[in-house]
Amino acid sequence: ILPALDLEKVSNTKCLLLGAGTLGCYVARTLMGWGVRKITFVDSGKVSFSNPVRQPLFEFEDCLEGGKPKAATAAARLKKIFPGVDATGHEFLIPMPGHPIPPQSLEQTKAAVAQLEKLVDEHDVIFLLMDSRESRWLPTVLGAAKGKIVLNSALGFDSYLVMRHGARESITPQGTTRLGCYFCNDIVAPADSLKDQTLDQMCTVTRPGLASIASSTAVELLVSLLQHPKGIHAPSPPMAGSGGQTVDTSAEEYNSVLGLVPHQMRGYLARFSTMHITGAAFGSCTGCSETVLKAYESEGFSMLLKAFNEIGYLEKLTGLDKLHSEGEAALEAVDWDEDDDDM
C-alpha cells in the first residue's frame, strides 16, 4: 500500500515504557501491532483488583495474593500473545523531585538511577506513561541528555495530552525552532503532587475509552516520526493563526510518508476534537535546558540527589528564582489606580 513505508525501521526500534498501567498496556499492544519486537516495562506497582478491567495485559488471577509485579506480568503476557517479542519487566521506583530520599534509602535510590540510566542507553525511544508529573522529570533529563526520542502521554478526566519532546539545544540544527518538553511551560520546578491527596485524587480517574485513544495516538506519532527523514528534528506543522485562518500543512517538511508529525496533540472527548499545538523550548526549563543537562553530565548522581531533596534547587540552577523575583518587583512597582468611589 505504501512502498516508501520503512517497516524494518519500526520493528527494530527498541522501546522503553515507563509505566505498566492503563497507558503502558495499550501502548505495548499498539507497538506490537506495528511489529516492534523489543519492549521493556518499568513499574514499581503490583496488579490490583481494579486493574484488569482497564489494563488489557492483566487478568483476575494476577491480583491474588497481594498482586503480581506489574512490569514482569505485562512482559510475560506480551510473550504469551506473541512468543517472538523480546519483552522484559523491571520493578523499581523512579526517584522524583519533591520526594526527599532518606539516608537509609540512598544506596537503593542510587541503584535505581543507575538502572534507569542503563535502560535509557539500551533503548531508542522512551515513553513517559506514569501517574504523576514529577515522576516524568528524571526520564526527561536522561532522554534529553542521551539524545533519545521521548514521547509523553497524560490523561485528564475527559482530555488527554500526547507530545514528543524536542532535541536538546546542543544538537538542534541551527536555524530551526527547538521544540519544548513536558516541563517547558512551567515556571516552577516539579514538586510532590501527591501530598495530602486522597486515594481518588492520586489515581487517574478518566473516561474508560480515553487511555486507548491517547496510547494509540502516541504510538502513531512515534511511527510517523520514525518515517520522517529528519527524525527527532522533524519540524512541527505551524498552528492556525489567532484570527482562525487556515495554515498550509501540506508542505513536505512537515510530513512523513504517513502524514503530519505534530509536536503536541490535546484531545477532548467532551466535544470529540483534537487540537495541534507547537510549543518552543524554554531556555530555563527544569527538564531539558542545557543548564540542567550539563549539570547532570558533570555532577551525575549528586546533582540528581539535590534535585530530589532540596526545595528550590532547580529554580536556582535554571534562574527561575530570579525570574520570580523580577516578576514580583515589577508588580510592586506598578502604580495601581484605586477607585475610592463606593462600589
Side-chain angles (χ1 to χ4, degrees):
I1 299 175
L2 286 173
L5 184 61
D6 189 349
L7 289 175
E8 185 176 358
K9 187 172 187 178
V10 178
S11 63
N12 289 337
T13 299
K14 298 182 286 291
C15 294
L16 176 62
L17 278 55
L18 302 182
T22 310
L23 288 169
C25 288
Y26 280 115
V27 164
R29 290 303 304 262
T30 312
L31 286 170
M32 284 184 65
W34 266 107
V36 173
R37 293 296 175 258
K38 173 64 175 176
I39 300 173
T40 304
F41 295 95
V42 172
D43 200 299
S44 63
K46 310 285 187 183
V47 183
S48 67
F49 287 102
S50 66
N51 293 157
V53 295
R54 298 179 293 112
Q55 300 172 6
L57 294 181
F58 304 129
E59 298 177 351
F60 181 80
E61 288 74 13
D62 300 326
C63 312
L64 304 179
E65 300 179 358
K68 295 180 181 178
K70 275 190 167 184
T73 304
R77 195 59 39 79
L78 288 185
K79 291 180 180 179
K80 188 175 182 180
I81 295 168
F82 178 64
V85 69
D86 179 6
T88 56
H90 300 267
E91 184 181 6
F92 63 90
L93 183 67
I94 296 175
M96 300 172 275
H99 296 253
I101 310 300
Q104 63 270 24
S105 300
L106 185 60
E107 290 305 314
Q108 181 182 2
T109 301
K110 187 180 293 185
V113 169
Q115 189 172 7
L116 184 59
E117 289 173 325
K118 183 174 183 293
L119 288 172
V120 171
D121 283 332
E122 294 171 347
H123 293 78
D124 306 306
V125 178
I126 300 99
F127 283 90
L128 307 187
L129 310 168
M130 301 89 110
D131 287 333
S132 70
R133 188 174 187 83
E134 61 269 27
S135 63
R136 301 166 190 250
W137 177 80
L138 178 56
T140 294
V141 173
L142 298 183
K146 298 174 184 294
K148 305 295 182 175
I149 294 174
V150 179
L151 288 135
N152 217 312
S153 185
L155 305 178
F157 169 68
D158 59 1
S159 62
Y160 68 86
L161 165 70
V162 170
M163 70 178 297
R164 58 183 172 103
H165 290 189
R168 66 183 295 179
E169 184 179 358
S170 62
I171 65 171
T172 298
Q174 289 188 348
T176 61
T177 299
R178 188 169 78 89
L179 300 177
C181 78
Y182 187 64
F183 297 98
C184 275
N185 286 336
D186 293 352
I187 58 170
V188 294
D192 187 350
S193 63
L194 305 178
K195 185 179 180 181
D196 299 328
Q197 289 193 342
T198 59
L199 180 61
D200 63 315
Q201 290 173 321
M202 288 190 284
C203 297
T204 304
V205 180
T206 72
R207 290 174 62 166
L210 200 64
S212 57
I213 295 172
S215 300
S216 57
T217 300
V219 174
E220 295 297 331
L221 176 58
L222 167 64
V223 177
S224 291
L225 185 64
L226 292 174
Q227 300 300 310
H228 195 285
K230 293 185 178 180
I232 193 174
H233 303 296
S236 178
M239 297 170 58
S242 57
Q245 65 267 32
T246 59
V247 175
D248 181 17
T249 58
S250 62
E252 185 176 344
E253 63 177 318
Y254 302 127
N255 289 266
S256 73
V257 65
L258 292 172
L260 290 176
V261 190
H263 177 216
Q264 302 179 37
M265 287 168 282
R266 294 181 182 265
Y268 304 91
L269 276 186
R271 55 179 182 266
F272 291 96
S273 66
T274 304
M275 181 169 57
H276 290 185
I277 297 174
T278 299
F282 178 34
S284 297
C285 176
T286 59
C288 71
S289 67
E290 283 296 313
T291 302
V292 170
L293 301 183
K294 288 178 180 178
Y296 160 69
E297 290 168 336
S298 63
E299 301 176 35
F301 181 75
S302 63
M303 175 269 181
L304 299 177
L305 189 62
K306 285 185 278 189
F308 303 147
N309 288 345
E310 299 179 19
I311 296 175
Y313 168 74
L314 288 173
E315 285 93 340
K316 185 176 181 180
L317 176 65
T318 57
L320 285 178
D321 58 341
K322 294 181 180 179
L323 182 64
H324 296 163
S325 299
E326 291 170 0
E328 291 173 1
L331 284 174
E332 291 176 0
V334 173
D335 185 14
W336 300 101
D337 270 340
E338 297 185 6
D339 192 350
D340 294 331
D341 296 338
D342 293 335
M343 296 297 291

